[in-house]
Amino acid sequence: MATLALDQAPAATLPRGPRLDYQTHPMAKLLFAAIVLGGFAFAGWSVLTDTRGVGEELALGVFAFLGLALLIALGFEFVNGFHDTANAVATVIYTNSMPAHFAVVWSGFFNFLGVMVSSGAVAYSIITLLPVDLLLNVGSASGFAMIFALLLAAVLWNLGTWYVGLPNSSSHTLIGSVLGVGLANQLIQAGSRGGTAGVDWSQAQKVLTGLWMAPLIGFFAALLLLFVMRMLVRKPELYCAPEGDKAPPKGIRALLIFTCTAVSFSHGSNDGQKGMGLIMLILIGCAPTAYALNRTLPASATPAFVQTANIAATTFDARSGGIDLPADQARGVLTNALQQRKAETPQVFAALESLSRDLTARVASYGSLSKVPAEATSNVRNDMYLVLDSTKLATKKPEGYSAGELKALKEYQSNLEAGTRFIPVWVKIVVALALGLGTMIGWKRIVVTVGEKIGKQHMTYGMGASAELVAAATILAADRFGLPVSTTHILSSGVAGASVASGSGLQARTVRNLALAWLLTLPAAMLLSGGLYWVMLNAVRVFGL
């Protein structure tokens, strides 16, 4: 097997590591298999229940296709679990705070909880990077090719970096895959706008900022925190390496278990959302009647939607310059505005006013989103999406709007989001299971890299605590703003920063390999997903699938 070479260091600085060779009990294997099979059965039953509840019968072929897509999406989260979460357990394992086999189960449980309480904001911050035409036609051949291409690219790159023991970022990989599909889609179309119009670069800039800042935040914050801890916490044993297999003092052990728990929980709350967003794309494409709209919203929410929509339409009309557009023409204007990322013209405001009033009239006539008929579902969802994203683009610069107008438009956007951007509870459960169970498989390679191959000396209690406190705090802050961040980058660089602060220095080979993985992941994932998308799209055209 391929592994990273460990730089030579004096034997005294690297004492015998923790035990990592626990044998899994046969009953544990059976329980693991039962949970996996039960999770898939639960997902299938939920899809059948949801679709039949709205009168949507899925053909056997469509159901099988949906099952395959869900399998790959959950596979991504499973790989994410054993790839990323190993970072969370490395510190407690290498400080003897927890036995390895217990630590991974503990971390998996809190990953599960993190997924279950997540908001979904991170999920849609990544999904909105995709090209407008693919999002509006996610159930088309090109839409399915997009989903499979980015999923397979993300899984393949994650598995490749795991195989050589590199703590690669699943967030970094998925974002690269999404960008690759977007660029490939636009280049294949060979339109007059050029390749870059296939990606929302304003959203991409926001998302990528979190990725390039993550290593810097992890390194310098952990370095500074350890310095501060040394000045304020005068407890020498906190800054010592473990002695053999001896567990740390109770207070220090409690601190390290707390930080491991916080990282695991925050990792689940952020990374679990990526799989949710992908699964929602799959469900909308295969079963639009059940999942394109949030049919759980009560009828009592409709009057508030109508009221805010009418206020918004009046605001748009005041800026339309008297232009009158029919709804059919308005859709084309808004689609083009989103592709060009320009929504300040009177024609765009006229289109927003026209489509908002048309959409409001239709929703009001149905009484609620739960009563939208099957044949009208896709049109209502697409119109809500167009108006929502166009309104956000049009109000990106708040100058020229009164405080009352901005408040009304914000409420209108919130109502549109509630109707289109939602995560069913069963999706959260199966993603949480995949991420939590993935924690318990294949964790050893990444744990060894983080625990042994970054710093030149054995990890001390203070190093582990500072790195994990920084990681947990940063991830939870990113959740607040709906930003995807890399647990891997933050924690690995945090370990490096803590190693420097402790005076132990860094192993140049490992740091160089980590930096190389960070630099290569985005372009590699983009090339891989773009190439797969091109192959799949051509296969669809050749075989008429």
Side-chain angles (χ1 to χ4, degrees):
M1 290 187 177
T3 56
L4 289 175
L6 178 62
D7 282 3
Q8 295 297 318
T13 63
L14 285 173
R16 181 170 62 88
R19 182 184 173 189
L20 302 177
D21 59 347
Y22 291 96
Q23 297 298 315
T24 305
H25 193 280
M27 287 302 296
K29 293 180 179 179
L30 289 175
L31 178 61
F32 186 93
I35 294 174
V36 170
L37 293 175
F40 281 119
F42 175 63
W45 176 81
S46 299
V47 170
L48 286 175
T49 302
D50 290 347
T51 52
R52 288 177 178 175
V54 295
E56 184 177 21
E57 294 293 332
L58 296 181
L60 182 60
V62 174
F63 191 77
F65 184 87
L66 174 59
L68 176 62
L70 288 176
L71 179 65
I72 299 174
L74 292 173
F76 168 78
E77 283 299 337
F78 187 82
V79 173
N80 187 2
F82 68 70
H83 201 299
D84 281 14
T85 312
N87 293 283
V89 298
T91 53
V92 290
I93 292 173
Y94 272 85
T95 56
N96 296 325
S97 298
M98 280 186 179
H101 65 300
F102 183 77
V104 294
V105 175
W106 180 275
S107 179
F109 175 73
F110 282 97
N111 265 275
F112 180 93
L113 289 183
V115 176
M116 293 304 299
V117 303
S118 59
S119 65
V122 173
Y124 284 103
S125 71
I126 293 179
I127 295 306
T128 50
L129 291 172
L130 290 166
V132 175
D133 54 326
L134 290 182
L135 284 174
L136 294 180
N137 301 286
V138 69
S140 64
S142 58
F144 287 127
M146 165 196 73
I147 292 170
F148 276 105
L150 65 90
L151 277 174
L152 288 173
V155 171
L156 289 173
W157 184 255
N158 272 353
L159 285 174
T161 52
W162 163 81
Y163 185 73
V164 296
L166 278 180
N168 170 62
S169 165
S170 296
S171 302
H172 208 164
T173 305
L174 181 59
I175 291 168
S177 299
V178 170
L179 294 177
V181 166
L183 287 172
N185 177 69
Q186 195 58 42
L187 290 171
I188 289 170
Q189 290 181 2
S192 60
R193 296 183 302 273
T196 57
V199 175
D200 179 356
W201 286 106
S202 62
Q203 176 68 6
Q205 182 180 6
K206 175 183 174 183
V207 169
L208 291 174
T209 297
L211 291 184
W212 74 258
M213 288 181 64
L216 299 178
I217 292 173
F219 183 87
F220 289 107
L223 185 150
L224 179 62
L225 179 58
L226 190 55
F227 275 134
V228 172
M229 287 170 61
R230 285 179 176 276
M231 289 188 294
L232 299 180
V233 184
R234 303 289 184 174
K235 198 169 186 178
E237 57 266 34
L238 181 61
Y239 311 106
C240 295
E243 298 178 8
D245 295 331
K246 184 180 177 181
K250 288 183 179 179
I252 295 175
R253 189 178 189 184
L255 171 65
L256 290 166
I257 292 174
F258 168 76
T259 59
C260 169
T261 304
V263 172
S264 300
F265 179 84
S266 59
H267 176 266
S269 71
N270 195 280
D271 278 50
Q273 295 189 54
K274 295 146 194 172
M276 294 180 202
L278 294 173
I279 288 174
M280 288 310 299
L281 280 179
I282 296 166
L283 293 173
I284 291 169
C286 293
T289 303
Y291 299 107
L293 296 173
N294 186 2
R295 295 180 177 273
T296 64
L297 285 177
S300 58
T302 303
F305 171 75
V306 172
Q307 181 181 9
T308 57
N310 287 333
I311 296 173
T314 301
T315 302
F316 298 141
D317 186 46
R319 290 162 174 77
S320 66
I323 299 174
D324 188 20
L325 291 176
D328 289 342
Q329 189 176 345
R331 293 185 182 94
V333 170
L334 295 183
T335 301
N336 185 66
L338 288 175
Q339 290 170 337
Q340 298 286 349
R341 310 307 303 168
K342 294 179 181 178
E344 299 87 14
T345 66
Q347 190 176 33
V348 170
F349 285 112
L352 278 170
E353 188 268 340
S354 173
L355 195 55
S356 291
R357 293 197 185 280
D358 181 75
L359 175 64
T360 304
R362 279 179 285 152
V363 172
S365 68
Y366 299 134
S368 68
L369 291 181
S370 63
K371 297 178 182 178
V372 176
E375 62 274 10
T377 299
S378 294
N379 286 337
V380 171
R381 180 251 177 189
N382 286 356
D383 287 349
M384 291 180 78
Y385 175 86
L386 275 176
V387 172
L388 171 61
D389 280 39
S390 298
T391 302
K392 286 185 174 181
L393 186 61
T395 56
K396 195 170 184 180
K397 297 179 181 178
E399 296 82 3
Y401 295 91
S402 68
E405 288 176 333
L406 287 173
K407 180 182 178 182
L409 291 175
K410 186 68 176 177
E411 291 176 353
Y412 184 40
Q413 292 170 16
S414 297
N415 288 332
L416 290 168
E417 284 182 337
T420 55
R421 299 181 179 178
F422 70 104
I423 310 289
V425 174
W426 73 264
V427 172
K428 285 190 174 186
I429 293 174
V430 295
V431 168
L433 285 174
L435 191 64
L437 293 175
T439 303
M440 305 172 198
I441 301 293
W443 48 270
K444 189 183 300 183
R445 289 175 180 269
I446 309 299
V447 162
V448 170
T449 298
V450 175
E452 298 181 12
K453 300 181 180 180
I454 294 179
K456 287 185 176 180
Q457 295 181 1
H458 195 289
M459 183 181 294
T460 68
Y461 305 130
M463 289 167 60
S466 60
E468 289 201 323
L469 282 171
V470 166
T474 305
I475 297 168
L476 290 174
D479 279 352
R480 171 68 180 80
F481 298 100
L483 284 174
V485 291
S486 167
T487 303
T488 302
H489 290 161
I490 297 170
L491 190 59
S492 298
S493 57
V495 171
S499 297
V500 172
S502 68
S504 66
L506 302 174
Q507 297 193 49
R509 184 182 181 87
T510 301
V511 173
R512 184 168 60 248
N513 285 334
L514 290 173
L516 186 62
W518 184 86
L519 290 171
L520 286 179
T521 291
L522 198 66
M526 290 175 69
L527 287 172
L528 191 55
S529 65
L532 286 171
Y533 178 66
W534 180 83
V535 169
M536 291 180 183
L537 207 55
N538 278 281
V540 167
R541 291 169 179 169
V542 170
F543 297 105
L545 299 176

